[in-house]
Amino acid sequence: MRQIIRYLSVFLIAFCSCLSAQHWVRQNSTTTVPLYSVCFTDSFTGWVAGYDGTILKTSNGGETWTAQNSGTQECLNSIRFTDSNAGLAVGGN
């Protein structure tokens, strides 16, 4: 069972990597909290997660970001989406 979970985890991480990103471009942030994880499902739609339950979403390739309600104030260490509607974030506690 552990081996299946490990393979599934590796698959999800690989699947949700930036699918079409050719390079990174520095952006001005709408937040001052540390951000720990990013996931894009296509070249336009992506999310970041970080400190204090922060989740931000972009629909235009990172030009602008909109705050999302995470329902927590805990630090979110990782965020992954399988498509533009289904995903999860994990963190401490």
Side-chain angles (χ1 to χ4, degrees):
M1 183 67 161
R2 285 185 181 178
Q3 190 173 16
I4 292 171
I5 292 171
R6 188 175 74 200
Y7 289 134
L8 180 58
S9 297
V10 170
F11 171 76
L12 288 175
I13 290 169
F15 178 79
C16 199
S17 296
C18 294
L19 300 173
S20 60
Q22 299 298 315
H23 61 278
W24 291 96
V25 177
R26 186 177 187 95
Q27 301 292 315
N28 292 325
S29 178
T30 58
T31 183
T32 58
V33 301
L35 301 172
Y36 301 120
S37 183
V38 61
C39 180
F40 275 75
T41 54
D42 59 46
S43 58
F44 297 104
T45 309
W47 295 263
V48 294
Y51 188 75
D52 202 24
T54 299
I55 296 178
L56 303 174
K57 180 183 179 183
T58 184
S59 297
N60 56 14
E63 290 184 36
T64 60
W65 295 86
T66 305
Q68 306 293 294
N69 183 3
S70 70
T72 185
Q73 295 297 309
E74 298 293 335
C75 178
L76 297 175
N77 298 316
S78 185
I79 192 164
R80 297 289 179 255
F81 278 76
T82 56
D83 61 40
S84 61
N85 295 311
L88 53 99
V90 296
N93 297 326

